[in-house]
Each structure stands twice: as C-alpha cells, then as structure tokens.
Amino acid sequence: ERALQETPVPRSATVRCMEDCELILLPREHYMAHVYEVYRQLRFFDTHVPAAGKWTHEVASASMQRHPACYFRKRVLEPGVHLLTEGLIAEPAVFFVESGTVEMQRVVKPHAAPSWRLGFQTLAPAKSMQRLSPPQ
C-alpha cells in the first residue's frame, strides 16, 4: 500500500513470481478516488450530524473500531421515487440527503389516506389459502 500513498516512496522489498500468477491490480487513481470518497463521507457526517466529530476522534484513537459513516451506502435516486409512504411500515433506515431536494407530505386527515384505511381493513383470505383449508 505504500505505492498508493499520495507521495510514493521507494519499494521496501522485491517481489518476484516463482510460477505463473494471476494478479488483481488496484491502480493508484482508483485507490485515491475511494479514499477521497470515504474522507468526503466522514467530513459530511462531522459537519452535519451532531456529535459525529467525536466519532472521528474515537476511530483515530482506536477506542471505536469503525466510524458510523462506514455503514451508510450512497444511492442516487431518480425524481419521483418514494423513500417512505405515510401509513405504511417500511424498512428501518435513516436517510441523509447529501444533495438534491426531497418533498415531505402529510395528509391533513390521516383516516383519508388510502394506506391508513388499508391498515384497518380485514383482509379476505387468498383463494389459494381457501383451497388449502381442511374440509368442514
């Protein structure tokens, strides 16, 4: 990894293949792009999430193994995609909007929302389940 550092340093060893070898190469520019993306994500958390600055310090001092920012995955969503729908149970998640604009809406009368009504309706058993029921 020393060759991938910002200022390359002389090699500290010589490596020679003793037989046919298949290698996977990580070019420096790809490594640096990844390092920059991780750094940018940490800075975003440090700037926008209360108390996140201490997390960076705790990782650096080894009192915390991984910065919580490492658990987030960047996604780019197209306009019109619904992150959440009022009244429906969704995947437990936290979203940080790094760039772009989102719209939040709430219905004035929750009982008027279709999702609210669905939550209180008794669902009829599916026809396939009716066929599996024991005869009476």
Side-chain angles (χ1 to χ4, degrees):
E1 70 270 4
R2 294 181 70 186
L4 299 174
Q5 295 175 1
E6 188 130 353
T7 306
V9 295
R11 303 287 191 203
S12 59
T14 299
V15 178
R16 178 173 53 121
C17 296
M18 301 303 289
E19 59 185 58
D20 289 347
C21 296
E22 292 184 30
L23 305 174
I24 299 174
L25 173 70
L26 175 61
R28 182 176 182 276
E29 59 270 12
H30 293 175
Y31 171 80
M32 292 306 291
H34 177 72
V35 168
Y36 174 76
E37 182 60 29
V38 169
Y39 171 77
R40 193 189 57 70
Q41 190 168 346
L42 293 176
R43 292 297 308 146
F44 177 83
F45 269 72
D46 288 353
T47 304
H48 296 93
V49 178
K54 76 174 191 167
W55 296 338
T56 302
H57 175 71
E58 289 174 8
V59 171
S61 64
S63 60
M64 179 186 281
Q65 191 170 7
R66 288 184 75 175
H67 193 289
C70 297
Y71 297 104
F72 284 78
R73 298 292 168 249
K74 186 173 185 168
R75 288 188 183 166
V76 177
L77 302 177
E78 297 175 1
V81 171
H82 288 233
L83 297 174
L84 304 169
T85 301
E86 182 178 1
L88 297 181
I89 296 174
E91 169 190 1
V94 174
F95 298 95
F96 287 103
V97 179
E98 189 174 29
S99 65
T101 305
V102 297
E103 175 184 54
M104 296 176 70
Q105 297 177 334
R106 294 196 69 185
V107 293
V108 177
K109 299 177 182 175
H111 59 276
S115 57
W116 188 86
R117 283 183 281 175
L118 283 173
F120 291 96
Q121 283 183 336
T122 304
L123 298 176
K127 290 182 181 184
S128 61
M129 291 304 289
Q130 291 172 352
R131 279 187 269 128
L132 297 174
S133 300
Q136 299 198 13

